[in-house]
Amino acid sequence: MSITVLGIESSCDDTSAAVIRDGVLLSNVIASQDVHAEYGGVVPELASRAHQQNIVPVVDTALRRAGIDKHDLSAIAFTRGPGLLGSLHVGTSFAKGLSLGLRVPIMDVNHLHGHVLSHFIRREESDPVPEYPFLCLLVSGGNSQLILVRNYNDMEILGRTIDDAAGEAFDKCAKVMGLPYPGGPHIDRLAAEGDAARFKFAKPHIAGLDYSFSGLKTSFLYTLRDNVRLDPDFVEKNRADLAASLQRTIIDILMDKLDKAVKQTGVRTVAIGGGVSANSGVRDAVSDYCRRRELKAFIPPRLFTTDNAAMVAIAGYYKYIDRIFCRYDQVPYARVGV
């Protein structure tokens, strides 16, 4: 008998619903919130209100695009955390209500687990997926982690950021350059036009596999401050070179720890996930590294790098197979590691 899972994602500012049947994606609908751009970041109260407005039409659209009725669902998976509590409450409450109405079980999903398992989303049954164990570099606006993945429910964090995440470094540096929010995609676009060797920014010396990006951010700010004193138009004249040099430094930091983790674990497969894995430089660097080391590389389609319900649905699908269901008294959580 087929297993059909509805996934619901509402951890931040994207409302998403997806349907997976027997591990194959049937639909994935995402409603983004443009209201936050004028504030330079996500406003939690506005995000939760927008989720309330979007969740019913988004779920309805996902079901229609999948060509199924809600009564065809075997179960419902939802993001329980980490994320913005108000936003998470919208998705959690909706999932519980629909579950009770349809009398089907629910599975709670860790948002970070979802990013790791995005590589198991298949649009065709023949699509390749990673073999366990593999190493995942998870990089997003709020997280930078190196994770050893032994199974869908057995993940060990080998290293994590001790301050800012890579995505925060991109966004904060982009903001002082006068670029719109979110800044990461704008840095990526400009970097393609710039000279990555033009500016030198500080790199951290952190023992082990942990990351740090606060020193890089400070170095970047000092460079701008010192040069703008001499030339008020410095940023405008050098925006592409600044972006390219910043991106190159972040990639070097990420790849240095990734290389150490590969050598320590001996894994033969490397994957990346999270919003920053959409960055062209990061994708190219990981692909080139794996090719030189004769490792298997899994680079997710850009659609599955940002917050989406397909990754929630596939994580829920594996939980359903093992009959790992969520109790109705479980509540969302704002912060937690993998």
Side-chain angles (χ1 to χ4, degrees):
M1 184 176 179
S2 293
I3 301 172
T4 306
V5 176
L6 169 69
I8 296 174
E9 156 62 20
S10 67
S11 64
C12 190
D13 61 335
D14 287 330
T15 312
S16 182
V19 177
I20 280 180
R21 173 169 287 170
D22 296 333
V24 177
L25 184 64
L26 302 184
S27 68
N28 186 37
V29 178
I30 303 173
S32 298
Q33 302 174 7
D34 297 330
V35 66
H36 306 285
E38 62 181 292
Y39 298 99
V42 176
V43 181
E45 177 63 24
L46 295 179
S48 57
R49 291 181 183 181
H51 282 303
Q52 290 178 322
Q53 295 173 343
N54 293 337
I55 193 162
V56 171
V58 165
V59 169
D60 180 66
T61 302
L63 292 173
R64 285 190 289 106
R65 289 185 181 176
I68 68 168
D69 184 86
K70 60 182 180 291
H71 296 288
D72 297 327
L73 295 174
S74 306
I76 300 165
F78 67 96
T79 301
R80 188 173 154 223
L84 301 176
L85 277 180
S87 297
L88 290 166
H89 270 297
V90 175
T92 300
S93 300
F94 185 89
K96 290 178 179 179
L98 187 59
S99 165
L100 288 168
L102 297 177
R103 296 185 179 181
V104 297
I106 51 175
M107 293 82 65
D108 61 317
V109 173
N110 180 307
H111 179 79
L112 304 183
H113 282 189
H115 277 303
V116 174
L117 296 176
S118 63
H119 297 282
F120 293 86
I121 302 168
R122 292 179 291 135
R123 287 180 280 194
E124 303 288 341
E125 289 190 7
S126 59
D127 288 347
V129 297
E131 294 182 1
Y132 299 115
F134 65 92
L135 191 66
C136 183
L137 172 60
L138 177 60
V139 277
S140 66
N143 297 279
S144 293
Q145 298 180 341
L146 280 166
I147 305 166
L148 179 61
V149 185
R150 300 186 182 92
N151 208 321
Y152 85 90
N153 59 355
D154 184 2
M155 304 184 191
E156 178 185 357
I157 298 176
L158 304 179
R160 70 178 84 204
T161 182
I162 61 174
D163 42 56
D164 288 347
E168 289 175 305
F170 274 124
D171 287 340
K172 291 176 180 178
C173 292
K175 186 174 182 178
V176 299
M177 290 172 62
L179 298 175
Y181 175 85
H186 297 285
I187 294 289
D188 191 18
R189 173 180 54 81
L190 287 167
E193 307 167 5
D195 178 5
R198 173 81 184 284
F199 299 100
K200 302 296 182 183
F201 302 120
K203 295 181 182 179
H205 298 283
I206 307 297
L209 298 177
D210 285 338
Y211 284 109
S212 171
F213 293 96
S214 63
L216 163 63
K217 182 186 66 178
T218 302
S219 174
F220 184 86
L221 294 176
Y222 282 166
T223 298
L224 263 61
R225 183 197 64 182
D226 295 342
N227 283 280
V228 168
R229 285 176 178 173
L230 301 174
D231 180 4
D233 297 323
F234 171 79
V235 173
E236 184 174 350
K237 293 176 181 177
N238 298 279
R239 191 170 276 126
D241 290 346
L242 286 166
S245 300
L246 172 68
Q247 179 163 294
R248 181 69 264 166
T249 305
I250 291 176
I251 291 171
D252 287 346
I253 295 170
L254 291 172
M255 296 305 298
D256 176 64
K257 299 291 187 173
L258 176 64
D259 180 54
K260 291 180 180 178
V262 168
K263 291 174 180 176
Q264 287 184 21
T265 61
V267 297
R268 303 304 301 168
T269 301
V270 171
I272 57 174
V276 179
S277 67
N279 179 278
S280 300
V282 172
R283 297 166 77 87
D284 291 344
V286 172
S287 294
D288 291 344
Y289 172 80
C290 289
R291 184 173 60 254
R292 293 195 310 271
R293 300 280 180 166
E294 297 183 343
L295 306 174
K296 290 183 179 179
F298 281 85
I299 314 294
R302 282 186 168 85
L303 175 63
F304 301 139
T305 60
T306 55
D307 296 346
N308 66 91
M311 67 184 193
V312 178
I314 193 64
Y317 170 74
Y318 289 119
K319 279 194 165 187
Y320 182 90
I321 292 174
D322 286 345
R323 315 299 287 179
I324 302 174
F325 302 137
C326 178
R327 303 193 314 270
Y328 289 102
D329 61 353
Q330 295 294 302
V331 298
Y333 49 86
R335 298 185 66 84
V336 73
V338 169

